[in-house]
Amino acid sequence: MDQHVNALTESGVLTADWATTFLAVPRREYLPEVLWEYCVDDDMYHPVDRSVNPQRWLALANGESQVVTQVDDGRPVGPDGLGDIPTSSASMPRIVALMLKHLEAQVGDRVLEIGTGTGWNAALMAQRLGAERVTTIEVDYGVAEQARQALRDAGFGKVRVITGNGSEGYPNEAPYHRVISTAACHTVPYAWVRQCRPGGRIVTPWGSEFKNWALLALDVNEDGTAVGGVVGTADFMRLRDQRLSPWTSPEQWQEDIATTRETSIHPTDVMRRGNVLMAMAAWVPNCQARYRQPLPETGNLSTMYLSDARTGSWARLVAKPESDGPHRVVQGGTRWLFDEVEAAYERWVREGQPGTDEWLITVGKDGQRMELV
């Protein structure tokens, strides 16, 4: 852990005032006895039980990567107890440090955390700010109980661990100086703004249905709005009440009545550029996207899939990595999703290819809006 802290400090991600806190609060002390590790061979998550495989458990616990601590909302759906979808985790130390840096919490501040998880992030803030200054809310009863016990064992029993819907915040202890979420949202809940003091700050992972990818920091104003923008990249599990609609798989697509066309846009033009993803968030609503990297067994094809389960609309763009186009597009349903994506991309180009720092996000009583500035 010491070498990780030193590396984070030297990179500037971990500020000096938080470095001693990270050293005093190691992540491994908040992890459950069973972790979950992804296996590419069967596309499933396998349990790593500390009592059965202590060396692998410690390697995961002390590593620099995210650690999955729950799958399928606590009820593994795969064969022989394997997991399909990760539903709770302990974040990468680098991302935790980045979020705390942008939170700018000071001694004396009262903080609301959305998404307790293992309790490690709450413990870090309790160590620095005081346990009685931290309230954390977790939607999953079992996860909340485990975190509550881990915090007690570590001497942070005064942290308030609430079991409830994080989207609603926790008004009983409001107002807070800071709100930090460890679950991603596509729409920042106004409850967080309402429960944060004017002059306070909200930090949350964020992204549209198109892609979940950004870290957002918003400052709360006297007029009841929160205004800010993207300050980094982060890929977190979503708030449970903002999970995406079921994905319409390609096997369900009616290609016999689909439309085929060509485009010069490559999948990576859209899926791998944060600047473009801001445009997709603003101008292509209610559209999910997935990207398949080129692999030798698929002829090194790069593929982008689009889906809107609400309307049953879908699209697929396939391209070779070395090709400048044209690339083949197939789409069907009542929305021509790729046409919308292409139009948004072309608008982004006409606007001068604005960067992530040129977008302003405002959250108010009337909802969330994005605008170029």
Side-chain angles (χ1 to χ4, degrees), residues 102-156:
H102 286 292
L103 190 65
E104 298 180 358
Q106 304 296 321
V107 174
D109 284 351
R110 298 178 63 254
V111 179
L112 171 65
E113 178 190 38
I114 311 299
T116 310
T118 64
W120 179 48
N121 198 54
L124 289 167
M125 293 188 291
Q127 174 74 15
R128 174 84 190 284
L129 308 175
E132 69 283 355
R133 312 296 290 181
V134 179
T135 299
T136 179
I137 184 166
E138 170 60 50
V139 68
D140 188 288
Y141 177 83
V143 172
E145 277 296 302
Q146 182 174 290
R148 193 176 287 117
Q149 187 59 54
L151 287 162
R152 287 197 199 104
D153 292 345
F156 299 124

Side-chain angles (χ1 to χ4, degrees), residues 130-266:
E132 69 283 355
R133 312 296 290 181
V134 179
T135 299
T136 179
I137 184 166
E138 170 60 50
V139 68
D140 188 288
Y141 177 83
V143 172
E145 277 296 302
Q146 182 174 290
R148 193 176 287 117
Q149 187 59 54
L151 287 162
R152 287 197 199 104
D153 292 345
F156 299 124
K158 291 186 177 180
V159 172
R160 296 175 187 83
V161 181
I162 308 300
T163 305
N165 182 357
S167 292
E168 299 173 359
Y170 189 64
N172 295 18
E173 297 294 332
Y176 306 94
H177 297 87
R178 298 288 187 269
V179 175
I180 183 171
S181 177
T182 61
C185 60
H186 54 72
T187 303
V188 177
Y190 187 67
W192 300 355
V193 181
R194 190 172 57 245
Q195 294 171 28
C196 194
R197 295 173 182 267
R201 171 165 280 208
I202 299 168
V203 172
T204 180
W206 175 87
S208 67
E209 292 191 27
F210 197 88
K211 186 172 173 61
N212 181 30
W213 66 280
L215 182 64
L216 199 65
L218 305 171
D219 294 318
V220 179
N221 298 320
E222 292 281 355
D223 64 1
T225 63
V227 180
V230 173
V231 294
T233 59
D235 185 2
F236 278 67
M237 299 168 195
R238 295 179 183 266
L239 290 167
R240 291 200 181 181
D241 61 1
Q242 291 196 23
R243 285 177 174 174
L244 301 182
S245 302
W247 175 263
T248 304
S249 68
E251 290 75 19
Q252 299 171 283
W253 296 353
Q254 295 179 285
E255 298 206 22
D256 56 328
I257 56 174
T259 298
T260 302
R261 50 162 296 201
E262 293 182 337
T263 181
S264 61
I265 295 176
H266 193 278

